[in-house]
Structure formats: structure tokens, C-alpha cells
Amino acid sequence: MISRRALTTSCLPPTIRQLLSSRTASDPVQVNGWVKSVRRQKKVAFAMISDGSSDKGLQAVFTKVDLAKPLTNGCSVRLTGKLADSPGKGQDKELQVDQVELLGECDPAEYPIQKQALSVEHLRDHCHLRARTDEITAMIRLRDLASRSLCRYFEDQGFCYVHTPITTSSDCEGAGEAFRIAPPPSPDLPSSENPAEFFGRPAYLTVSSQLHLEALANAISRVYTLSPCFRAERSQTNRHLAEFWMLEAEWAFTRDIDDVCTVLEGSLRHVLKQAGASGEPVWTAGERARLPQLQAYADSDTAWPRLTYAAAVAELEAFHAASPRTFDFAPAWGRPLQSEHERWLAEHLARGPLFVTDYPAHLKAFYMRQNDAPGRDPRTVACVDLLVPGLGELAGGSLREEREDRLRGAMVRFGLGEEEYGWYLDLRRYGGAPHGGFGLGFERLISWMSGVENVRECIPIPRWAGRMLL
Amino acid sequence: MISRRALTTSCLPPTIRQLLSSRTASDPVQVNGWVKSVRRQKKVAFAMISDGSSDKGLQAVFTKVDLAKPLTNGCSVRLTGKLADSPGKGQDKELQVDQVELLGECDPAEYPIQKQALSVEHLRDHCHLRARTDEITAMIRLRDLASRSLCRYFEDQGFCYVHTPITTSSDCEGAGEAFRIAPPPSPDLPSSENPAEFFGRPAYLTVSSQLHLEALANAISRVYTLSPCFRAERSQTNRHLAEFWMLEAEWAFTRDIDDVCTVLEGSLRHVLKQAGASGEPVWTAGERARLPQLQAYADSDTAWPRLTYAAAVAELEAFHAASPRTFDFAPAWGRPLQSEHERWLAEHLARGPLFVTDYPAHLKAFYMRQNDAPGRDPRTVACVDLLVPGLGELAGGSLREEREDRLRGAMVRFGLGEEEYGWYLDLRRYGGAPHGGFGLGFERLISWMSGVENVRECIPIPRWAGRMLL
């Protein structure tokens, strides 16, 4: 009745990357990809073929020029031929084509991805096609590399990768920027009545996985996630998206904000080193000059500097007094650090990544742990922002208030009810352990590593206020 | 101004898993965790300590019984002592405790996670604490292992891990079960007016990443993602969640549904083998007896059987004619396969995983490729469902219609407009390559592997109609 067949381990032909890195190349090979450019001469034609697996692409050589006739920019093809050492410049190997199969035509007059440089705005308008450009391909491959490196780091440190919910009953940061899920239309109800909530209560899209991670960290000690987060943020900046990805790690049995800095620094050094060592062509889109600088941060044999907020403000004030025209905003204790302050601290004071710790409590979220040990400023909380040159804030973390009475006090001050956050208090009531963690904006990391300034070009299909094309 | 300090590579003390697997154990060690049970005798006390890193936990021995006095079930502790070979049964090593620090108290009378077996319903009501149970911890660790194995498999096959958007302008499957995002409240508008959409158009939560993956696969050839998906599904079954995770892979330059089966089978064999080889204690929650059976599927030296829908229906009809009382629904060509049919096919006909291919077009989504080559039944599409014993449908895939004219025809038949799906047609218009892929329900995979029947216990913090506790 059921016939058995032999087991096939793989059915996928090699990618261009795999072909170029393999040593045996005498057999006839099949190459699939898209035509990036065609150059026709009298006795020979050339085409650059890319399949997105490598930034190099592969040069195809047609000694039978007729074979190249149907090729246009953008079309997809299957070429059969021999891989050979290339006599030309710019590539080690080329494909000597014997056979061409046109898989998908592309009218070069209409094709939105032309060979010449295209504006960022044009590519955003065609974001379903923009991954066909070298720049966006490189960015997508960098995301792959960065997420893999981050995962390996946390795996090695005994962390467990977990999935936290996207739909949530609360607005974690209390900033009122959470998207709300509409109750489903209910044909059973008269239209005058409010339709029932699907979950029986209002539901939002998560702005951070942290609170849920805390529940899991208080059971399995070390957890992390790379998860989408959402903010109904209307400001149109280089650094904000309505939908973005965040690497968040949370762990129990830590009582010092220095530990949070150390784990965060360790994970970033690991990613930077992996990117440097990979030889991956991930830098096409950005300044290649940036790579040695990033490697220096990764290889530095002293820890990235750490400064309290109070000390940072003192530095800013001293500089502001000496050069009063540099900052638009005067720095002062108790005021938020502006972007211009953050960048000055990283770029001019530290000349590299800088941890700023122990901010005033009123500038930070309700769950951060009060600094009330002797010798600490009790107006501050045990938190940290990581500032980097060229970008400003890349990540933020804190110890979480694990003492039920103090957390309850903070919730009252922030106007948060027990009905919504009772479960969060429970985590403290039943064997709550001292714990902390951080969140790292994944698109900001990609922006920092690649030198691509706008985070809209650091995610394959971006979302921002007014923009959702597909 | 900025002081430099020596680089610290790690600040995290070893987990119990790390301690138990390390060979040198003579030094005093520090163990952090939660007390699972305490047993007091006259001259000695014992406590089982868990930190979620291992299903075994660690037995702590107190020869100074007073040290164990403050310990209660559920409290968090830091113990210092010596790791030694255990004379007792059930463990190789134990901790001989010299010092106890109580980190977080837990009133054993109020603690919702009691030592005795707790009902599934009770744990769902306390899902912020249920990861403290061995069963839920094991499930979370199995998710970690399965996602890691899947990622490594696709990485090795040249796939790129990508992030697709969660907020989307369309309902991919056209089933009308998509959650809608509410327009944000707008203080500028009179309340009689409809508030403006944040994205300028209606926005939904994605039901599948597939369409977006197709855009990326048509540029970088091989992509996959593990991403949350959402369905406003009201039926309360063992197999459905309102928010679930799906592994989706999509690749270009494939023209045979057999290729989709081969990649899907390869990825699952890899996960099953990794789970078997890991020695990970991931089976606590399920039937350990299941593991050898799963290993047999993974190690089988013939491919998992493949059957067309037509052949499957013929088998079902023959069986139904012979045993008319077995099925509630009579099988017939053109009707959907019911759960009872799917399970019979996997459990009785194939006695293992079974691919059913080439369903009638009217039973499947608009984007599936029509079987119109000579010798094929043109009423069918090139698709596949993977059925497994004990569960039914675990994954589904297809070739995607890459021919613009036929896709356009299908869109008209399904009532889908070009305004919404114009970009999807563009993928065909501009060098579209033949491509295909599949989606694998991650919670169903966990259910299948662990033997935990309800997917609500296969995700850390579940969501279903009427239920969202935190």
C-alpha cells in the first residue's frame, strides 16, 4: 500500500557561497540565481549572477554569446557549466556556461531595482524587492550572524532560550505607547454594545519581554529571548521603529549592577569578534573602516569604562561650562541625558563604549532596584545604559526590585494597580531571588556594527508611523 | 576622569548543571536555587535544590541541622559547601552544606506550587509560577533544544535566519481569523470621527510569515524564521493557541514537492536525533517510552512514506467500507481530511510519519501551485501535509504558484485584491523563481516529542480565547 523509497539526505543544490568555498570544482555544476548585470562583447558575454548567499556573486562567462541572449537584469536563471579559475580581475573563479535556463523573466525597463544606485526612499517604497540589492542582502546576513553569535554566547553561559508572549495584559514600561488589539467583531451583539474582548480583558502588543522573563528567571535562573517588541511611537527618528526586535536577558542570583555590565559587555564582545572572524561579507552596506575600530573595542584588555550618572553629569557640566555652545540642553543632575549628551560621553569622554549607571529613580521604570545600601545615593536606582559612539544608547538594564514592600511602594508611586501586577508581586512573595537583566535593541546593534545610520535599513521589512507596505 | 579596570570574562557562578558535569569538585562551591523539598531528621537534614538548569536538582545535606531551619519549600537560597560523592540512592553527588543564606522567603502554607501533584488547571491559573514545576521546566528546555537543533540544521543547509514583520496589512491565509490592531486614541480628533490608523491602513497580526518569506527567498534564495503567529481561533482544542510559534522555511529554485518533503523530513530527523543524543532531561514531562519510537523514525533508513491525497482517500474509503463504524465522517475525494482520518493514516496505515501530497485546490490556500503538468490531476495543487501518530497534522507546505497569470487567476477566485497583493504579484513579475516551503507548528512539535497532549502546556505562557493572565 505504502511504498518505501531510499532516504535522500539533501535535495538542495549548492549555493554560490558553497560552490566558491568548495575545493573540487571540475565537475559540471548548476548555478541558480538572479542576473545583476550583463555585458555583451562580440565573441563573449559576461553576466554577474547572485543568489544572495554571498556578496561576491559569481561571474558567468558565455563563449557562445547566443546563450546570453535572453538574460536581462533581474531575471532568474539556472546555468550549467564548469567552474574555473578566472583570468579576469575581481574574482577568483568564474562559471563557463554551457547551458542556460531562463526561470523568471524581468522586463528591464520596468524593473524597480535598476543597476545604478537607488535612493533609500525608492527602496523603502519597494521594500518587497529591496533585498535584491547588495546593501540590504548584507544587512540581512549581518542580522543572521549577530543573532547566531548572541545565541551561542548565552548558550555557553548556561542561559535557556525562551519565548515570551507578544500579546500582553500590561504596558511594561508604563509609557502609554503600547498598541492595543481590537476586540474581534461579534455578529451576535447589537452594534451599540461594546464587543467582547477576545481574551476577556484588554490586550496589548508587548513593549518589552522583561516582566515575563522575570517570571521565568525566577524558576530556571537564566533566560534570554530575541523577540519582537512594539511601540506606537510617532516620532520619525533614525533610531525608532514601531516594530523592532530586542535581545533581552534576565537572570537570578545577581546582586550587583556590575554583573549586568559584565554579561552585556561579554555578549557584545563576542558578537563583534565573531563578525570580525567570520570573513562574512557583512560590511558592504557600511563603512569598512569601522570594522577595525569595532574589533579594537572587542579586543581591548581593559573592561569598557563604567561611570555613575552623577559622575557623567559632572563631566557634562564641566564641559558645558567651558564650551557653552556645544549642547542645546544644559546638563544637570535630575534631568534626562539627551542624545547629544550620550554621544558626547561615548565619543569624546570615553572614546568607545561606556556604561552609565545609577540614574535617579524618577527617570527610570518602576521595577528598578533602589540603591539604599549604605554609601549609595538612595534617590538612585541600580541601572545601566550602554552608550556607544555614533549612536548613543544601545542597551539598558538594571537590577530588578526583588523586595516586595519596596516594589509595592514604587507601584503606588507609578500608579500601577495590583489587579494587573499582582502576579509580578507574587514573584517576590514566593521565594523571589535577587535578579537583573538587560535589553539590547537589535536594529541599533546592526546599525552600530554596519554603519547604516537609519534603523529602517537595519530590518528587512520596516514599520513606522504611517508606513506598512506589505 | 574615566578609570579603567581589568577585564572580567564572566561573573556568573556555575549552575547546578555545570557543577554536576564538572570533574573538579573539591573546592568549596556556591549553589543558588530554590528549595523543592526539605526532610529533617535528628542529626541530619536534607533539601532538594533546583535552579532549573537540570531536572535532577542537587541534594543538599546539613549535618548541622540548625542550618536548615529557615528553609521551606519554594524559598530561594545560596548555599556554600563541598560537592561530594553521595552515599545515598538517586544521585551521584551531593552538597555538604557549611553555610546558608536565605535570599527569598516563601510561606509554605500560601505557596501555590505545592509538593504534591498539581492539576493542569491549577498550574494554568498560576502560569507565572508554573515554570517552578519539573514538567514545565522540562518543556521549556525542550523548546530550547528543538529551536537550537532546527537553527543548526537550516544553517548547515545554507539558509539565512530572517525576521519577518508581525504587524501586517493582509490576512495571509484568507481565513478571517486575524487579530486587528486598534487605531490609537487620537486626542486631536472629535470623538465622533474615526481615529486615524497608525500605519495609514488597517493592520493585523500575522497568521503566517510565508508571504513575507517569499519576498526574501526571491532575493537571498534560502530563508527561515521561528516567529510568533496569531489566530483569533475560538475553538478550545488540544492543538490550538491564539498565539503560537511557527518554524517556516522558504527557498527558491525548487520545482518538486518531493524537495519540500525532503527538507522537512531532514529537519525533523535532525531535531529528533539531537534530542536523543543530548542526554538532556527533556522527557520528564512526557512518556519516556516515546523516545525510542521517535529515535526509530529519525534513524529509519528509508524515507518517510509519501502518498497523494487521492491515494490516501482511496485507502480511507476501503477501510471505511470494511469497518463503517470507525469514522464519524465518511472519507471522499474533495472533502477535507478530518483529524480522525489523519490519525488513522499515520497510526494505522503508515505506523509513523506520513506525507500526504497533492490536495484538491479548493481545500487549500490561494498561493499553492497548480498541478498542470502532463499526467498530473489539474484539480490539485503541489502541496503536502505531514501527519504523525498521536497528533495528526504537524506541518504543511507547498510549491508556491510562481506563474503570474495563474496566481492572478487564483486571486480572483479567492476574492483577493491587487491593491493588497500587488507586491506579491511583483515577486513573480520581476524574475520570480520557482520556490516552495513549509510551516511547522512549534508547539505541536513539542507536544509530539514530549508526549504532552495539550499545546497549552507546550509554551511557557499560553494564550487562548478568554485566557491571558499576565
Side-chain angles (χ1 to χ4, degrees):
Chain A
M1 294 185 290
I2 287 193
S3 65
R4 302 277 168 176
R5 69 172 81 191
L7 181 62
T8 321
T9 50
S10 176
C11 55
L12 298 178
T15 61
I16 290 178
R17 171 189 297 265
Q18 288 167 339
L19 273 180
L20 291 178
S21 66
S22 76
R23 301 194 171 239
T24 57
S26 54
D27 300 325
V29 294
Q30 210 176 63
V31 172
N32 298 296
W34 290 268
V35 172
K36 293 278 171 164
S37 62
V38 195
R39 197 154 47 88
R40 297 169 217 274
Q41 297 173 359
K42 234 181 210 165
K43 295 192 175 169
V44 63
F46 301 94
M48 190 54 77
I49 311 295
S50 168
D51 66 355
S53 67
S54 155
D55 74 336
K56 293 203 185 70
L58 180 62
Q59 173 158 280
V61 183
F62 305 80
T63 47
K64 302 172 203 154
V65 279
D66 275 2
L67 280 180
K69 217 172 214 173
L71 304 193
T72 60
N73 287 349
C75 73
S76 63
V77 289
R78 173 166 292 174
L79 306 179
T80 310
K82 280 207 177 72
L83 213 56
D85 292 336
S86 174
K89 277 191 297 186
Q91 65 276 328
D92 295 337
K93 287 178 183 171
E94 61 183 27
L95 182 73
Q96 294 168 347
V97 180
D98 294 322
Q99 216 179 315
V100 172
E101 183 181 1
L102 183 65
L103 298 173
E105 293 177 13
C106 185
D107 181 344
E110 280 188 30
Y111 188 40
I113 308 297
Q114 294 292 321
K115 247 177 67 184
Q116 63 269 31
L118 298 163
S119 76
V120 162
E121 211 30 82
H122 175 84
L123 290 173
R124 285 178 193 164
D125 289 344
H126 296 85
C127 87
H128 57 299
L129 295 170
R130 73 175 187 170
R132 300 261 187 104
T133 65
D134 291 347
E135 290 75 14
I136 297 293
T137 299
M139 175 274 289
I140 292 173
R141 300 201 70 82
L142 177 56
R143 289 178 68 100
D144 178 37
L145 183 146
S147 66
R148 262 188 287 134
S149 318
L150 285 167
C151 289
R152 301 259 158 106
Y153 175 81
F154 285 104
E155 199 183 315
D156 289 346
Q157 300 287 324
F159 280 73
C160 182
Y161 170 56
V162 296
H163 293 124
T164 46
I166 308 304
T167 53
T168 169
S169 61
S170 67
D171 171 357
C172 162
E173 303 280 340
E177 286 178 340
F179 285 103
R180 194 171 173 330
I181 295 171
S186 173
D188 309 336
L189 286 176
S191 62
S192 63
E193 274 186 55
N194 254 337
E197 295 281 354
F198 182 85
F199 293 109
R201 60 196 296 186
Y204 304 89
L205 295 187
T206 189
V207 298
S208 155
S209 305
Q210 181 201 315
L211 304 195
H212 294 116
L213 283 177
E214 286 184 65
L216 300 174
N218 272 287
I220 50 180
S221 300
R222 296 179 194 175
V223 293
Y224 76 103
T225 193
L226 178 57
S227 196
C229 298
F230 304 83
R231 295 201 190 167
E233 161 83 63
R234 292 206 171 266
S235 61
Q236 307 269 356
T237 81
N238 268 349
R239 302 195 304 164
H240 291 94
L241 293 165
E243 176 176 340
F244 57 101
W245 287 71
M246 190 136 67
L247 187 294
E248 292 182 89
E250 192 77 27
W251 62 98
F253 310 114
T254 201
R255 287 198 278 203
D256 193 327
I257 192 66
D258 266 333
D259 291 349
V260 177
C261 298
T262 301
V263 174
L264 174 51
E265 180 173 344
S267 64
L268 287 171
R269 281 176 180 252
H270 182 76
V271 175
L272 296 175
K273 280 181 188 168
Q274 292 296 307
S278 70
E280 282 267 349
V282 291
W283 306 98
T284 314
E287 320 143 31
R288 271 178 192 270
R290 181 175 288 237
L291 191 50
Q293 184 55 71
L294 293 176
Q295 291 309 307
Y297 300 150
D299 296 335
S300 149
D301 55 7
T302 55
W304 296 348
R306 302 170 191 186
L307 209 60
T308 64
Y309 165 88
V313 168
E315 295 283 356
L316 289 163
E317 283 175 328
F319 178 77
H320 186 60
S323 318
R325 295 213 199 146
T326 309
F327 295 139
D328 293 331
F329 295 85
W333 198 100
R335 293 188 197 156
L337 295 186
Q338 301 291 332
S339 251
E340 58 181 1
H341 303 147
E342 293 177 338
R343 294 189 53 166
W344 182 86
L345 288 167
E347 289 161 19
H348 296 278
L349 187 70
R351 297 172 190 275
L354 171 70
F355 293 103
V356 178
T357 64
D358 304 289
Y359 284 65
H362 69 272
L363 297 179
K364 290 289 179 180
F366 76 97
Y367 49 70
M368 295 190 178
R369 191 179 198 278
Q370 195 194 351
N371 278 326
D372 49 7
R376 314 296 294 266
D377 182 343
R379 296 170 304 170
T380 65
V381 286
C383 68
V384 61
D385 279 359
L386 174 63
L387 313 180
V388 299
L391 184 82
E393 186 192 338
L394 175 61
S398 76
L399 301 183
R400 321 306 186 184
E401 186 58 81
E402 87 280 11
R403 296 162 295 185
E404 190 188 344
D405 57 334
R406 285 183 183 73
L407 180 61
R408 200 182 290 274
M411 282 169 52
V412 170
R413 282 197 301 283
F414 281 78
L416 302 173
E418 268 205 48
E419 204 180 326
E420 238 180 307
Y421 291 92
W423 67 270
Y424 192 64
L425 285 168
D426 269 6
L427 301 181
R428 280 69 185 170
R429 191 175 296 136
Y430 300 118
H435 64 286
F438 65 83
L440 169 71
F442 193 64
E443 284 74 26
R444 291 191 183 183
L445 173 65
I446 300 303
S447 168
W448 185 48
M449 289 177 70
S450 65
V452 173
E453 280 198 1
N454 198 316
V455 288
R456 292 173 185 178
E457 275 65 62
C458 294
I459 188 168
I461 300 173
R463 304 298 190 217
W464 67 87
R467 183 58 74 103
M468 186 180 62
L469 290 187
L470 56 152
Chain B
M1 295 183 291
I2 286 194
S3 65
R4 301 276 168 177
R5 69 174 80 193
L7 180 63
T8 320
T9 50
S10 175
C11 56
L12 298 178
T15 62
I16 289 177
R17 171 188 295 264
Q18 289 167 339
L19 272 181
L20 292 179
S21 66
S22 76
R23 299 191 174 242
T24 56
S26 56
D27 300 325
V29 294
Q30 210 176 61
V31 173
N32 299 297
W34 290 269
V35 172
K36 294 277 171 162
S37 62
V38 196
R39 195 154 48 89
R40 298 169 216 274
Q41 298 174 355
K42 233 180 212 165
K43 294 190 177 169
V44 63
F46 302 94
M48 190 54 77
I49 311 295
S50 168
D51 66 356
S53 66
S54 154
D55 74 335
K56 294 203 185 69
L58 180 63
Q59 172 157 281
V61 182
F62 304 81
T63 46
K64 301 170 203 155
V65 280
D66 274 3
L67 281 179
K69 217 175 213 172
L71 305 191
T72 61
N73 286 348
C75 72
S76 63
V77 289
R78 174 166 291 174
L79 305 178
T80 312
K82 280 205 178 74
L83 213 56
D85 292 335
S86 175
K89 276 192 296 185
Q91 65 277 326
D92 295 336
K93 286 177 184 172
E94 61 183 28
L95 183 74
Q96 294 169 345
V97 181
D98 293 323
Q99 217 178 314
V100 172
E101 183 181 1
L102 183 65
L103 298 173
E105 293 177 12
C106 184
D107 181 343
E110 281 189 28
Y111 188 40
I113 310 296
Q114 294 291 321
K115 246 176 66 184
Q116 64 268 32
L118 298 164
S119 76
V120 161
E121 211 29 83
H122 175 84
L123 290 174
R124 287 179 191 162
D125 289 343
H126 296 86
C127 86
H128 58 299
L129 296 171
R130 73 176 187 170
R132 301 260 188 105
T133 64
D134 291 347
E135 290 76 13
I136 298 292
T137 298
M139 175 273 289
I140 292 173
R141 301 201 70 83
L142 176 56
R143 289 179 68 100
D144 178 36
L145 182 147
S147 66
R148 262 189 286 132
S149 319
L150 285 167
C151 289
R152 301 257 157 107
Y153 175 82
F154 286 104
E155 199 183 315
D156 289 347
Q157 300 287 325
F159 281 72
C160 182
Y161 171 58
V162 296
H163 293 123
T164 46
I166 309 304
T167 53
T168 171
S169 61
S170 67
D171 170 357
C172 162
E173 303 280 340
E177 285 178 344
F179 285 103
R180 193 170 173 332
I181 295 171
S186 172
D188 309 337
L189 288 175
S191 62
S192 63
E193 276 186 53
N194 252 339
E197 295 281 354
F198 182 85
F199 293 109
R201 61 197 295 188
Y204 303 90
L205 295 187
T206 190
V207 298
S208 156
S209 305
Q210 180 200 315
L211 304 195
H212 294 118
L213 284 178
E214 286 184 63
L216 301 174
N218 272 288
I220 48 180
S221 300
R222 296 179 194 175
V223 293
Y224 76 102
T225 192
L226 179 58
S227 196
C229 298
F230 304 84
R231 296 203 188 164
E233 161 85 64
R234 292 203 172 269
S235 60
Q236 307 269 353
T237 80
N238 267 350
R239 302 195 304 166
H240 292 92
L241 292 164
E243 175 176 341
F244 57 101
W245 287 71
M246 189 135 68
L247 186 294
E248 292 180 271
E250 192 76 27
W251 62 98
F253 310 114
T254 201
R255 289 200 277 203
D256 193 328
I257 193 67
D258 266 334
D259 290 350
V260 178
C261 299
T262 301
V263 174
L264 173 51
E265 180 173 344
S267 64
L268 287 172
R269 281 176 181 252
H270 183 76
V271 174
L272 295 176
K273 280 181 189 168
Q274 292 296 307
S278 70
E280 282 266 350
V282 290
W283 306 96
T284 314
E287 320 143 30
R288 270 180 191 269
R290 178 174 291 236
L291 190 50
Q293 184 56 70
L294 294 176
Q295 291 309 306
Y297 301 150
D299 295 335
S300 151
D301 54 8
T302 54
W304 296 347
R306 300 171 192 185
L307 209 59
T308 63
Y309 166 87
V313 168
E315 294 283 358
L316 289 163
E317 283 175 329
F319 178 77
H320 187 60
S323 318
R325 296 211 198 148
T326 308
F327 296 139
D328 293 331
F329 295 85
W333 197 98
R335 292 188 197 156
L337 295 185
Q338 302 292 331
S339 252
E340 58 180 1
H341 303 147
E342 294 177 338
R343 293 189 55 167
W344 182 86
L345 288 167
E347 289 161 20
H348 296 278
L349 187 69
R351 297 174 191 271
L354 171 70
F355 293 103
V356 178
T357 63
D358 303 290
Y359 285 65
H362 69 272
L363 296 179
K364 291 289 180 179
F366 75 98
Y367 48 71
M368 294 189 179
R369 192 177 197 278
Q370 197 195 348
N371 278 326
D372 49 9
R376 314 296 295 265
D377 182 344
R379 298 170 302 170
T380 64
V381 287
C383 68
V384 60
D385 279 359
L386 174 63
L387 312 180
V388 298
L391 185 80
E393 185 192 338
L394 175 60
S398 77
L399 301 182
R400 321 307 185 182
E401 186 57 82
E402 86 280 12
R403 296 163 294 185
E404 191 189 344
D405 57 334
R406 284 183 184 72
L407 181 61
R408 200 183 291 274
M411 282 169 51
V412 170
R413 282 198 300 283
F414 281 79
L416 302 173
E418 268 206 47
E419 203 179 325
E420 238 180 307
Y421 291 91
W423 68 269
Y424 191 64
L425 284 168
D426 269 5
L427 301 181
R428 279 71 183 169
R429 191 175 297 136
Y430 300 119
H435 64 285
F438 64 83
L440 168 71
F442 194 64
E443 284 74 25
R444 291 190 183 183
L445 173 63
I446 300 303
S447 167
W448 185 48
M449 290 177 70
S450 65
V452 173
E453 280 199 0
N454 198 314
V455 288
R456 293 173 185 177
E457 274 65 62
C458 294
I459 188 167
I461 300 172
R463 305 297 190 216
W464 68 87
R467 181 60 73 103
M468 186 180 62
L469 290 187
L470 56 151

